[in-house]
Amino acid sequence: MNPEMKTNKPITIAIADDHKQMRTAICDYLNRMGFDVIMEAKDGKDLLSQLESAQTLPDICVLDYRMPGMTGDELATIIGKKYPAIKMAAMTTNMDTDCLLRMLAGGCGSYLVKSSSPAEWKTAIEGLNAEGYHCTDWMAKTLIEYVRDNCSELVKYN
């Protein structure tokens, strides 16, 4: 979809987080921002079950990284294979390079820290929906540092 085109249809979201209070707070937060949270799941298995039986799939799945039974990156990999049209964002409480890399490798197009400002959440979700990814300043810095520290063999010297 052309990002220049405006639509009145709200972005639909599914949330998977094993902490009920956190999940409820994030759902309320997103609904107040004008998004439409259509699924809440207590873990990866629950979200997969809801997706399987859904008449309408969400535009975006927001996935907690640390959940019992299945991590967010494992869940993202399954969703990406079964439902390639769904965009995904990681959601976690910390800024951890390993977690970031695992979630991106699993198919997530953004990485949201639960304590981020409403403006950051809104920008990330809208960017993810329009472009398929959204890179925060922290993500960009972390990925650049990772490449510099781990990919020097890619640079050939004469």
Side-chain angles (χ1 to χ4, degrees):
M1 181 168 113
N2 182 344
E4 305 279 312
M5 294 173 60
K6 299 288 182 196
T7 177
N8 291 335
K9 177 188 168 289
I11 297 169
T12 58
I13 298 175
I15 301 281
D17 191 316
D18 57 312
H19 295 100
K20 177 141 179 62
Q21 288 179 318
M22 180 61 73
R23 188 173 66 244
T24 300
I26 290 170
C27 289
D28 290 345
Y29 191 58
L30 293 172
N31 283 322
R32 282 195 311 272
M33 282 189 250
F35 302 116
D36 186 10
V37 179
I38 62 171
M39 291 178 194
E40 289 183 50
K42 63 184 177 187
D43 57 31
K45 184 177 176 183
D46 185 22
L47 181 58
L48 291 173
S49 175
Q50 289 185 48
L51 291 171
E52 190 69 34
S53 63
Q55 291 185 350
T56 303
L57 293 173
D59 298 312
I60 295 173
C61 287
V62 180
L63 312 173
D64 189 20
Y65 178 68
R66 288 180 178 83
M67 293 184 287
M70 184 184 310
T71 60
D73 56 314
E74 292 167 332
L75 178 58
T77 300
I78 294 168
I79 292 171
K81 287 179 182 169
K82 285 185 139 183
Y83 308 98
I86 296 176
K87 297 168 180 106
M88 296 175 285
M91 171 179 64
T92 186
T93 56
N94 58 18
M95 293 189 243
D96 176 85
T97 302
D98 186 57
C99 179
L100 169 66
L101 295 172
R102 287 177 179 277
M103 292 301 279
L104 294 178
C108 289
S110 193
Y111 187 94
L112 298 164
V113 177
K114 291 177 182 178
S115 62
S116 295
S117 72
E120 287 176 289
W121 274 80
K122 187 170 178 54
T123 300
I125 289 171
E126 289 173 345
L128 179 61
N129 190 60
E131 302 295 331
Y133 67 92
H134 176 78
C135 194
T136 65
D137 289 343
W138 176 81
M139 285 175 64
K141 178 182 180 292
T142 301
L143 291 170
I144 289 169
E145 288 172 356
Y146 180 83
V147 169
R148 286 181 179 160
D149 292 346
N150 296 285
C151 301
S152 60
E153 71 280 356
L154 297 175
V155 178
K156 307 272 190 245
Y157 296 99
N158 291 334

